[in-house]
Coordinates of all heavy atoms in Angstrom, one line a residue:
T49 N 77.4 28.1 -27.3 CA 77.8 26.8 -27.0 C 78.0 26.8 -25.4 O 78.4 27.8 -24.7 CB 79.2 26.5 -27.5 OG1 80.1 27.4 -27.0 CG2 79.2 26.4 -29.1
Y51 N 79.8 23.6 -22.4 CA 80.2 22.2 -22.4 C 80.1 21.7 -20.9 O 80.6 20.5 -20.6 CB 81.6 22.1 -22.9 CG 81.8 22.9 -24.4 CD1 82.2 24.3 -24.2 CD2 81.4 22.4 -25.5 CE1 82.3 24.9 -25.3 CE2 81.6 23.1 -26.6 CZ 81.9 24.4 -26.5 OH 82.0 25.1 -27.7
L68 N 74.1 25.0 -27.3 CA 74.7 23.9 -28.2 C 75.9 23.3 -27.6 O 76.8 24.0 -27.3 CB 75.3 24.6 -29.6 CG 76.0 23.7 -30.5 CD1 75.1 22.4 -31.0 CD2 76.5 24.4 -31.6
G70 N 78.6 21.8 -28.7 CA 79.2 21.6 -30.0 C 80.4 20.7 -29.8 O 81.1 20.4 -28.7
D71 N 80.7 19.9 -31.0 CA 81.8 19.0 -31.0 C 83.1 19.9 -31.0 O 84.2 19.4 -31.0 CB 81.8 18.0 -32.0 CG 81.8 18.6 -33.5 OD1 81.5 19.7 -33.6 OD2 81.8 17.8 -34.4
S72 N 82.9 21.2 -31.1 CA 84.0 22.2 -30.8 C 84.6 21.9 -29.5 O 85.7 22.3 -29.2 CB 83.4 23.7 -31.0 OG 82.4 23.8 -30.1
D110 N 75.8 18.1 -30.5 CA 76.4 17.6 -31.8 C 76.6 16.2 -31.8 O 77.0 15.5 -30.9 CB 77.8 18.4 -31.8 CG 77.7 19.5 -32.8 OD1 76.8 19.6 -33.7 OD2 78.6 20.5 -32.7
K140 N 72.5 17.7 -33.5 CA 72.9 18.5 -34.7 C 73.8 17.6 -35.5 O 74.7 16.8 -34.8 CB 73.5 19.7 -34.3 CG 74.0 20.6 -35.5 CD 74.4 22.0 -35.2 CE 75.7 22.2 -34.6 NZ 76.9 21.6 -35.3
H164 N 73.4 21.3 -40.3 CA 74.5 22.3 -40.2 C 75.2 22.4 -41.6 O 75.6 21.3 -42.2 CB 75.5 21.8 -39.1 CG 76.7 22.7 -39.0 ND1 77.5 22.6 -37.8 CD2 77.4 23.7 -39.7 CE1 78.4 23.6 -37.9 NE2 78.3 24.2 -39.0
V207 N 72.1 25.4 -38.9 CA 73.2 26.3 -38.7 C 73.9 26.5 -39.9 O 74.1 25.6 -40.7 CB 74.2 25.7 -37.6 CG1 75.4 26.5 -37.5 CG2 73.6 25.6 -36.3
E209 N 77.2 28.2 -41.4 CA 78.7 28.5 -40.9 C 79.4 29.1 -42.0 O 79.5 28.3 -43.0 CB 79.2 27.4 -40.1 CG 80.6 27.8 -39.6 CD 81.2 26.8 -38.6 OE1 80.6 25.9 -38.2 OE2 82.4 27.1 -38.2
I230 N 76.6 31.5 -38.0 CA 77.9 31.9 -37.4 C 78.7 32.2 -38.5 O 79.1 31.4 -39.4 CB 78.3 30.6 -36.5 CG1 79.8 30.8 -36.0 CG2 78.2 29.4 -37.4 CD1 80.2 30.0 -34.8
V240 N 74.8 32.0 -33.4 CA 75.4 31.1 -32.4 C 76.9 31.4 -32.4 O 77.4 31.9 -33.4 CB 75.2 29.6 -32.8 CG1 75.6 29.3 -34.1 CG2 76.0 28.7 -31.7
V242 N 80.7 30.2 -30.3 CA 81.3 29.5 -29.2 C 81.8 30.4 -28.1 O 82.3 31.5 -28.4 CB 82.7 29.0 -29.9 CG1 83.6 28.2 -28.8 CG2 82.3 27.8 -31.0
Ligands
KIV415 O1 80.7 22.6 -32.6 C1 80.3 23.7 -32.7 O2 80.6 24.5 -31.7 C2 79.5 24.3 -33.8 C3 79.2 25.7 -34.0 C4 80.5 26.3 -34.4 C5 78.2 26.0 -34.8 O3 79.0 23.5 -34.5

Side-chain angles (χ1 to χ4, degrees):
T49 65
Y51 315 93
L68 172 65
D71 60 355
S72 51
D110 257 342
K140 176 166 82 59
H164 185 158
V207 167
E209 179 165 357
I230 174 162
V240 56
V242 171

